[in-house]
Amino acid sequence: MFEGLKAEPTVFGSLEKLFLSGEEVRMVKCSHDLPTLYKRLKSNDFDLFRSLPLTENGIDVPDGIRLDTMFSQIFLFFDYDFQNRIGLENVNTILEEMLGFFDNETDNGKLYVNYPMIESLKYTKTLPDANYWKYTVTRQTCVDHKFKGEAETFAYTEAKGYKFIDLSKTNESEVRNNWNMLKAQNVCKANYIVSGENVLPEDKDTVSQDAIFKAQKEKYVCANDEVAILNSFPIFIHDYLK
């Protein structure tokens, strides 16, 4: 499940073709942010399927079939959006609760968070980028809706417009290699955010989504009104895919 209608499906579509070709995958594009999903969940007694636009995404539920039996794993990809007009404290409270609820892909689902948003994937000056662990963005930049443009400007030529992971524009072996490098630098940075060491963690649980959020909030958001730029799709590869 994705927040956005264009970038996220493009990014995940690349992963699907390379790493999930043997799986039956259904994408649900929500076209709304995490606080809106939270509001819908609360009104539906936290029933995810009743809160999703399934019909709008071409997913028909046969008569007599329970929704929760149709899918063996559920993954949600959303942006941090710490510039949201509901206020930072409310955003953090919602995200903390959502991470606690969506913590298992075979149960309620597993939530992955982009900091500050999906465009963090292309916020790299080259691949690999030795300075990636240092990159941050202020909340004010996001309030001013400047991060998307800054990410596109900052990105090296092949990363602009997500070309570097687009199989229609870049050959498969190069895309696969790019994903491997994106995985390495995002997982290493996640470990840096949590533990202060810019290396691959010995244990995957070290860079759990909950641990990353708690460290982001303590070390960046509350301390400096900024967030460490980080993308969750490469971490998803690290967690589940070879």
Side-chain angles (χ1 to χ4, degrees):
M1 181 187 349
F2 311 114
E3 173 176 339
L5 298 175
K6 185 176 180 180
E8 288 92 338
T10 297
V11 171
F12 192 83
S14 175
L15 291 181
E16 180 184 3
K17 291 175 183 176
L18 287 178
F19 303 106
L20 297 168
S21 59
E23 303 287 341
E24 183 178 354
V25 177
R26 302 303 299 268
M27 296 188 193
V28 177
K29 294 170 281 189
C30 293
S31 72
H32 55 67
D33 57 19
L34 198 61
T36 301
L37 175 61
Y38 177 77
K39 183 178 180 180
R40 293 185 179 184
L41 284 167
K42 287 194 70 176
S43 67
N44 288 315
D45 296 321
F46 270 76
D47 185 328
L48 177 62
F49 295 104
R50 288 169 56 199
S51 306
L52 296 179
L54 297 179
T55 303
E56 295 88 332
N57 281 272
I59 299 177
D60 296 320
V61 182
D63 292 337
I65 299 296
R66 286 175 47 192
L67 284 169
D68 59 358
T69 66
M70 291 180 61
F71 308 98
S72 61
Q73 295 178 309
I74 303 167
F75 298 97
L76 305 87
F77 296 88
F78 279 80
D79 297 341
Y80 178 38
D81 280 340
F82 69 151
Q83 77 281 3
N84 196 290
R85 62 182 179 276
I86 67 173
L88 182 58
E89 184 175 349
N90 288 326
V91 168
N92 286 339
T93 298
I94 288 172
L95 182 51
E96 184 175 5
E97 185 172 347
M98 294 286 268
L99 285 170
F101 186 76
F102 293 110
D103 64 349
N104 190 315
E105 71 280 2
T106 61
D107 190 9
N108 295 322
K110 180 68 176 288
L111 173 61
Y112 281 85
V113 182
N114 297 307
Y115 296 91
M117 55 190 67
I118 180 63
E119 284 76 17
S120 56
L121 185 68
K122 57 185 174 180
Y123 201 95
T124 183
K125 208 63 179 171
T126 184
L127 268 182
D129 187 337
N131 293 313
Y132 184 71
W133 65 278
K134 301 177 182 179
Y135 300 147
T136 62
V137 60
T138 66
R139 182 167 175 264
Q140 189 59 51
T141 296
C142 295
V143 168
D144 295 337
H145 303 290
K146 293 181 178 180
F147 181 72
K148 287 185 179 181
E150 289 187 3
E152 182 70 8
T153 300
F154 184 85
Y156 74 104
T157 301
E158 288 76 12
K160 295 181 186 298
Y162 303 104
K163 178 182 176 182
F164 66 160
I165 51 90
D166 190 334
L167 289 164
S168 69
K169 299 177 181 179
T170 305
N171 70 70
E172 181 176 324
S173 62
E174 187 174 346
V175 170
R176 188 180 294 274
N177 189 47
N178 287 341
W179 272 119
N180 285 331
M181 288 186 286
L182 286 166
K183 177 179 70 173
Q185 70 180 32
N186 277 276
V187 173
C188 285
K189 182 169 184 177
N191 192 37
Y192 173 77
I193 292 168
V194 173
S195 69
E197 298 183 45
N198 185 39
V199 296
L200 290 173
E202 294 183 5
D203 188 338
K204 289 183 178 182
D205 288 341
T206 301
V207 291
S208 69
Q209 290 299 296
D210 184 60
I212 293 170
F213 169 63
K214 288 178 179 176
Q216 286 270 28
K217 186 170 66 170
E218 176 185 347
K219 300 177 182 179
Y220 295 88
V221 180
C222 294
N224 298 309
D225 207 27
E226 65 180 10
V227 74
I229 294 170
L230 187 73
N231 195 269
S232 65
F233 284 94
I235 298 173
F236 166 74
I237 298 175
H238 173 255
D239 285 350
Y240 293 100
L241 306 177
K242 298 295 184 181

